[in-house]
Amino acid sequence: DSGVTQTPKHLITATGQRVTLRCSPRSGDLSVYWYQQSLDQGLQFLIQYYNGEERAKGNILERFSAQQFPDLHSELNLSSLELGDSALYFCASSSQSNTGELFFGEGSRLTVL
Amino acid sequence: AQSVTQPDIHITVSEGASLELRCNYSYGATPYLFWYVQSPGQGLQLLLKYFSGDTLVQGIKGFEAEFKRSQSSFNLRKPSVHWSDAAEYFCAVGAPNSGNTPLVFGKGTRLSVIA
């Protein structure tokens, strides 16, 4: 158990809909990262937050947004969903040790029909 | 910007045989290097990491990896594979002293183990 909690584990929805994925980092970790894992693209970095502020942005679509709340949990919002958005979405957190080591949740599997 | 190449998409080995998974990275200096494992339906678990010092690092589950600066490689090895090692393996690179910038992952190598 990494200590990172993601909900929901599975989500099935239709094209055009909007979903929210939630992540609670390990106790004491200030950084939260979102990654998308698909068969053809591998693990793609989407966005990072540090103590409530956006720190880095990767290949995140404009239809996607995220935020980190004062209690440090984070939410990834996916809107106007397309079939191609079906993927595993991972949240990870890191400590303040500056080593870059990430601790991953078990992921949220999104299926868009 | 850093990048990672895992040349082998899929490898099949017999149980008890030795294993080597290849990883090559691109980075201007000595990076932080990681190997993660993902079992089916699970998240990514850290196997081992290299920050500095001894270039041969030991990890969990009997795995080890060797950092070779001259070859820009960080190959993962295990002397005797168990059926439970069947999983997806990811190599990742990070930039030292960069305020925990996101890791860059390779596309992964899927390991199958046969009896």
Side-chain angles (χ1 to χ4, degrees):
Chain A
D1 182 4
S2 68
V4 178
T5 304
Q6 288 188 249
T7 57
K9 291 195 186 311
H10 301 277
L11 193 54
I12 302 174
T13 188
T15 55
Q17 295 299 304
R18 172 190 170 94
V19 299
T20 297
L21 310 180
R22 182 188 168 104
C23 169
S24 294
R26 292 186 323 156
S27 176
D29 287 355
L30 301 181
S31 278
V32 169
Y33 307 74
W34 287 97
Y35 282 82
Q36 179 193 57
Q37 185 182 34
S38 57
L39 283 175
D40 54 344
Q41 294 294 322
L43 264 168
Q44 295 285 311
F45 166 67
L46 296 179
I47 197 163
Q48 176 196 0
Y49 279 83
Y50 178 82
N51 203 21
E53 296 195 1
E54 183 182 305
R55 172 68 69 91
K57 217 169 194 177
N59 301 317
I60 188 166
L61 300 172
E62 284 193 13
R63 301 183 285 108
F64 296 0
S65 64
Q67 54 184 325
Q68 185 179 27
F69 295 86
D71 67 351
L72 300 177
H73 91 272
S74 177
E75 293 181 356
L76 179 67
N77 301 295
L78 315 174
S79 61
S80 302
L81 286 167
E82 302 175 359
L83 296 178
D85 297 327
S86 296
L88 251 180
Y89 291 85
F90 284 109
C91 171
S93 70
S94 66
S95 72
Q96 299 179 65
S97 64
N98 206 31
T99 62
E101 179 178 345
L102 298 183
F103 298 87
F104 282 84
E106 294 193 351
S108 293
R109 180 170 292 283
L110 172 65
T111 302
V112 182
L113 301 176
Chain B
Q2 57 265 45
S3 66
V4 178
T5 301
Q6 294 181 247
D8 305 305
I9 296 174
H10 184 205
I11 284 182
T12 300
V13 300
S14 299
E15 190 169 15
S18 63
L19 170 71
E20 182 168 28
L21 302 182
R22 297 183 291 164
C23 171
N24 293 97
Y25 69 88
S26 174
Y27 184 66
T30 299
Y32 291 159
L33 294 161
F34 306 83
W35 275 99
Y36 283 84
V37 61
Q38 182 183 22
S39 299
Q42 301 294 313
L44 278 76
Q45 180 184 22
L46 181 69
L47 279 177
L48 47 79
K49 57 197 175 192
Y50 173 79
F51 296 147
S52 65
D54 192 346
T55 56
L56 184 64
V57 294
Q58 303 296 320
I60 62 171
K61 305 185 181 188
F63 285 92
E64 67 178 26
E66 186 172 11
F67 168 59
K68 292 186 177 180
R69 186 193 312 272
S70 61
Q71 298 176 22
S72 296
S73 69
F74 189 57
N75 294 349
L76 182 71
R77 301 194 294 250
K78 186 169 185 178
S80 177
V81 168
H82 188 262
W83 64 267
S84 61
D85 293 324
E88 187 98 19
Y89 292 81
F90 294 92
C91 181
V93 61
N97 304 315
S98 60
N100 278 353
T101 54
L103 298 183
V104 174
F105 286 83
K107 290 192 180 294
T109 297
R110 184 160 62 94
L111 173 66
S112 297
V113 181
I114 57 176

